[in-house]
Amino acid sequence: MKQFIQQYDSEISSILSGWDRLTMRGSLRRISYPIGMTDFLFKTETPMKAFGQYANSVSKSLVEASCKTAVSLNRPVQYVGLAKTSKDEMAREVAEKDGITDGLIMIIKSVELCRTYRMQSDRKKHHLELVRQIRQCTVIYHYLIHPEFGFMNARIQSWFPFPIQICINGREWLSRVLDKEGIAYQRYENCFPWIADFRRAQTLMHRQLNTNWPAKFDRIARMLNPIHGKIFAKYPLPYYWSAFQSEWATDIVFKDPDFLPRLYPRLLIHGIVNSASPDAMRFLGKKPRTNFKHEVVSKYKLGPEGARIKHQVAKNGVKLYGKYYNLLRAENTINNPNQMKAYRPSQKNPTGPSAWRQLRRGIADMARRAEISQAINDRYLDHFAALDTSTALAELLAPLTEPTTWNGYRVRGLRPSSKEDLSLFKAIMHGEFTITGFRNRDIQTLLFKVQATSIKEYRRRSSKISRLLRMLRAHHLIRRIPNTYRYLVSEKGLVLLKAVLSLEQITLDQLNKLAA
């Protein structure tokens, strides 16, 4: 991010980085597997054949106890059956209507798919056994304004093994702290276009990394299931907390409200044109390699807030969008921490030597997750520091259309709008040539769909491809790999050819929207 800041230092007012949306999950790990659940039934002296009746009884008691608080506070308990209904919007409307500024807003009950157990008979072993099952069950959502986290929701599955999911927002959390410290700010949804003391705000966001997650989430778990202690009186089980999904956002606030609307369309086109799959992998901390098994996707989307660029690798993603008229946001989402590393001891031997191991979902690696997230945003923003904002795209492409020379011979200019030249550009930009390059015969295969039927025809085609490659070399779009007959697209070629091929795909209507 240093390069980006250096380039636009005179225009930047402030920067704020930290958690955005956090989805945390709590699980009773020992009964999350059939063998552990079977042990629980044994310790609680529950017959295997009575499991269904016992589980149904516990589920009803849990639902009743969980909703009891809402009844005592005269807060609504509402059933929502439509999956498309936004529970968040419903809760916000109720909070605004009833003037709720603290505490429970409402409880929403819903029937959803869940992972639980059923009892089945093993005919070969002649006994009953528990097996995992996906079935429908009641899920209870508590929407509340937490004294520290602010507006949030937490849900619990009413059937064994009672997993919990808690959704909070780091910016909502920050706003509560700013209010307590008396720091004025302007808020738009989950971003801050203006804070009276941004430096202090950043310090407060960093404090979130030192949060005692288990202590805070255990209190929420007791609110969701007040009878947890009763259910597990003979088999004490604490919740294990992990990060199911995390978002880390870096907000760059500009001084002049007219600067970002002028800059963003250029950033957007640069992100579309000059961000190949190896770039996306590099943003997210992966080394580009040919045997990478996951899909790499780069795309842009036009939504209510404007245009957005997103790159996704192995379920992890990074995106850029204009969040507000003077606020640019780079944000990454980690759904698959297994693709990342943490320097730590083995989980089986906590006192043993440290090594680079997989990043865990558990809250023990939350600090490392934050470090990785900030590094992703830093790399991504520095990618945009290479943008030449003073030169128009047409000016960059203009030299390609002019004739040039190669070893004293005149070479024609390129025709980006012609079908022949576009086919050539697409051929040399094939992803398979990124690492090892391409040969004359490789391009022949792509440009001529039918195989040559004679040696004379093959030589004619080879000569034509040689002339085309010489033309590309004359314009410095490709370079020859020393001591081989292979070629690689040059850095200049990557930039200019991506621009040409991207402009072929983007419609006039889309460009108008990007520039709006």
Side-chain angles (χ1 to χ4, degrees):
M1 187 166 60
K2 291 181 180 178
Q3 297 175 25
F4 188 89
I5 295 173
Q6 288 174 358
Q7 181 165 350
Y8 301 105
D9 182 59
S10 62
E11 300 292 342
I12 294 175
S13 169
S14 51
I15 299 173
L16 184 68
S17 292
W19 297 120
D20 189 34
R21 182 163 54 89
L22 283 172
T23 303
M24 314 298 286
R25 285 191 171 177
S27 57
L28 301 174
R29 300 178 80 182
R30 286 166 62 188
I31 63 168
S32 294
Y33 303 92
I35 188 171
M37 189 67 203
T38 302
D39 185 54
F40 167 77
L41 295 177
F42 175 77
K43 295 289 178 60
T44 56
E45 302 177 352
T46 304
M48 295 285 282
K49 63 182 179 180
F51 171 73
Q53 183 179 356
Y54 170 72
N56 187 52
S57 173
V58 172
S59 176
K60 288 182 178 179
S61 299
L62 189 155
V63 173
E64 182 180 351
S66 187
C67 297
K68 188 175 181 180
T69 304
V71 175
S72 64
L73 295 174
N74 197 27
R75 301 310 308 145
V77 177
Q78 190 168 340
Y79 172 79
V80 174
L82 297 176
K84 293 183 179 180
T85 302
S86 173
K87 300 179 182 66
D88 278 26
E89 290 182 7
M90 181 185 302
R92 289 184 186 277
E93 289 175 2
V94 170
E96 184 177 357
K97 177 184 175 183
D98 296 349
I100 303 297
T101 58
D102 192 26
L104 184 66
I105 299 172
M106 67 182 302
I107 289 178
I108 296 177
K109 294 195 292 185
S110 179
V111 175
E112 300 176 8
L113 292 177
C114 66
R115 294 181 181 275
T116 183
Y117 300 102
R118 67 178 175 87
M119 193 67 66
Q120 75 172 18
S121 175
D122 189 328
R123 295 182 179 180
K124 292 183 180 180
K125 297 180 180 179
H126 302 287
H127 67 75
L128 296 173
E129 65 176 5
L130 284 172
V131 294
R132 286 180 172 179
Q133 177 189 32
I134 296 179
R135 55 161 290 174
Q136 290 185 331
C137 76
T138 300
V139 175
I140 307 166
Y141 290 81
H142 284 233
Y143 278 88
L144 64 148
I145 299 179
H146 191 271
E148 187 171 358
F149 298 136
F151 181 87
M152 59 162 290
N153 73 79
R155 51 157 277 184
I156 185 170
Q157 174 183 305
S158 65
W159 276 73
F160 285 100
F162 310 126
I164 288 174
Q165 180 169 294
I166 297 174
C167 296
I168 61 177
N169 189 285
R171 264 51 178 185
E172 174 77 16
W173 187 353
L174 175 63
S175 68
R176 304 285 290 188
V177 182
L178 293 175
D179 289 339
K180 288 181 180 179
E181 295 215 355
I183 300 175
Y185 61 88
Q186 178 189 357
R187 182 177 172 186
Y188 172 74
E189 295 182 350
N190 65 334
C191 66
F192 299 90
W194 174 81
I195 299 178
D197 189 347
F198 262 104
R199 182 172 296 182
R200 179 61 179 163
Q202 184 63 76
T203 300
L204 295 173
M205 285 222 77
H206 281 318
R207 284 185 182 176
Q208 295 177 0
L209 303 180
N210 300 321
T211 300
N212 185 349
W213 302 100
K216 297 183 184 301
F217 291 158
D218 283 346
R219 285 195 289 269
I220 296 174
R222 289 193 291 271
M223 174 193 70
L224 292 172
N225 183 9
I227 62 171
H228 178 90
K230 180 180 178 182
I231 297 172
F232 299 102
K234 297 181 180 179
Y235 197 86
L237 278 181
Y239 272 97
Y240 172 81
W241 297 102
S242 59
F244 174 69
Q245 184 184 78
S246 66
E247 289 182 349
W248 183 276
T250 297
D251 295 340
I252 299 178
V253 181
F254 293 92
K255 300 174 184 177
D256 183 358
D258 295 326
F259 180 76
L260 183 59
R262 295 195 305 268
L263 173 66
Y264 187 62
R266 291 177 179 269
L267 295 177
L268 195 62
I269 293 176
H270 178 77
I272 296 170
V273 171
N274 299 321
S275 300
S277 294
D279 296 314
M281 294 175 70
R282 180 174 58 82
F283 300 151
L284 290 158
K286 300 297 295 181
K287 291 183 179 179
R289 59 182 190 270
T290 55
N291 62 343
F292 189 65
K293 298 181 180 180
H294 298 277
E295 186 178 16
V296 181
V297 179
S298 295
K299 56 186 177 180
Y300 74 92
K301 179 181 179 181
L302 296 173
E305 295 182 344
R308 181 205 69 188
I309 326 166
K310 184 176 182 180
H311 312 277
Q312 192 164 345
V313 180
K315 297 183 180 179
N316 300 319
V318 60
K319 56 188 176 182
L320 184 83
Y321 55 106
K323 186 67 178 176
Y324 197 59
Y325 68 90
N326 70 329
L327 190 147
L328 180 71
R329 171 169 287 187
E331 179 179 280
N332 66 79
T333 304
I334 296 180
N335 295 306
N336 183 10
N338 294 338
Q339 295 294 313
M340 297 162 183
K341 301 291 183 182
Y343 192 73
R344 58 176 179 83
S346 170
Q347 196 162 345
K348 295 181 180 179
N349 184 17
T351 59
S354 295
W356 287 106
R357 310 177 195 275
Q358 284 185 348
L359 183 70
R360 297 167 293 188
R361 289 188 181 274
I363 55 176
D365 284 352
M366 284 297 286
R368 174 58 180 163
R369 180 185 285 245
E371 184 181 337
I372 291 173
S373 297
Q374 185 60 52
I376 291 173
N377 286 354
D378 288 347
R379 287 190 293 267
Y380 191 45
L381 286 169
D382 279 344
H383 173 70
F384 292 94
L387 171 64
D388 179 8
T389 58
S390 62
T391 306
L393 192 58
E395 188 177 342
L396 290 173
L397 298 178
L400 293 180
T401 62
E402 299 295 328
T404 186
T405 58
W406 178 256
N407 292 336
Y409 292 92
R410 185 180 184 277
V411 176
R412 73 169 174 87
L414 299 176
R415 297 185 287 267
S417 60
S418 72
K419 185 177 179 180
E420 181 183 15
D421 283 8
L422 281 174
S423 298
L424 176 62
F425 299 159
K426 291 176 182 178
I428 67 173
M429 291 291 285
H430 260 236
E432 62 198 84
F433 304 143
T434 303
I435 305 298
T436 59
F438 55 86
R439 301 163 297 178
N440 185 306
R441 72 182 72 171
D442 298 325
I443 304 304
Q444 281 191 59
T445 304
L446 294 172
L447 293 186
F448 300 96
K449 304 302 181 184
V450 181
Q451 190 174 1
T453 56
S454 65
I455 296 178
K456 182 179 180 181
E457 174 63 17
Y458 178 82
R459 288 176 177 172
R460 186 189 69 80
R461 293 181 179 183
S462 180
S463 297
K464 180 176 181 179
I465 298 300
S466 294
R467 292 192 298 272
L468 292 175
L469 296 180
R470 184 168 63 245
M471 176 182 66
L472 294 174
R473 292 182 72 185
H475 287 281
H476 305 289
L477 299 182
I478 64 172
R479 59 181 178 85
R480 185 175 176 178
I481 301 176
N483 304 317
T484 70
Y485 291 102
R486 291 182 174 273
Y487 301 88
L488 281 171
V489 180
S490 66
E491 292 185 6
K492 175 184 176 181
L494 285 172
V495 173
L496 297 179
L497 294 182
K498 285 177 185 178
V500 172
L501 296 178
S502 296
L503 288 176
E504 184 202 15
Q505 301 296 326
I506 298 176
T507 65
L508 182 61
D509 181 57
Q510 289 171 335
L511 284 175
N512 288 334
K513 289 180 180 179
L514 295 181

